[in-house]
């Protein structure tokens, strides 16, 4: 008996569909089991006071070394020489 291309395609897609459906069901069931046995965690209550802000601009003690390390990393990524890179300013992104 010869197996046709259409039969192989349909069987492959159906096995994949059934496998992924089983994986989703197992994930949902395990999530519920873990949630039940995880214990009742109390939610974190918000404080009444204002949230303290981060310090404005902390001085970096070894700023030149940091700039040199960033320059080397950029030069390596771009595939150029370190002397061709000049960092003019840095901002902390948060």
């Amino acid at each position: 008996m010869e197996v046709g291309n259409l039969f192989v395609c349909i069987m492959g897609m159906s096995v994949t569909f059934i496998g992924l459906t089983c994986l989703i069901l197992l994930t949902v069931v395990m999530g519920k089991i873990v949630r039940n046995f995880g214990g009742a965690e109390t939610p974190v209550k918000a404080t009444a006071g204002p949230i303290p802000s981060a310090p404005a601009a902390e001085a970096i003690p070894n700023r030149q070394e940091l700039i040199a390390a960033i320059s080397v990393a950029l030069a390596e990524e771009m595939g150029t020489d370190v002397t061709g890179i000049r960092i003019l300013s840095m901002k902390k992104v948060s």
Side-chain angles (χ1 to χ4, degrees), residues 44-57:
V44 178
K45 295 183 179 183
T47 58
I51 299 173
S53 62

Side-chain angles (χ1 to χ4, degrees), residues 40-65:
E41 295 181 15
T42 57
V44 178
K45 295 183 179 183
T47 58
I51 299 173
S53 62
E58 293 181 14
I60 300 173
N62 51 1
R63 187 175 183 87
Q64 295 299 324
E65 290 178 11

Side-chain angles (χ1 to χ4, degrees), residues 27-86:
T27 304
V28 169
V29 169
M30 286 302 295
K32 288 182 180 180
I33 290 172
V34 169
R35 193 173 302 124
N36 288 340
F37 287 119
E41 295 181 15
T42 57
V44 178
K45 295 183 179 183
T47 58
I51 299 173
S53 62
E58 293 181 14
I60 300 173
N62 51 1
R63 187 175 183 87
Q64 295 299 324
E65 290 178 11
L66 178 64
I67 291 175
I70 292 172
S71 299
V72 170
L74 284 173
E76 184 69 28
E77 181 66 29
M78 293 173 24
T80 62
D81 191 31
V82 176
T83 58
I85 295 178
R86 183 182 307 170

Side-chain angles (χ1 to χ4, degrees), residues 2 4 7 15 17 32 36 70 75 90-91 93:
E2 182 139 345
F7 178 75
V15 167
F17 179 76
K32 288 182 180 180
N36 288 340
I70 292 172
M90 290 184 2
K91 288 186 201 176
V93 178

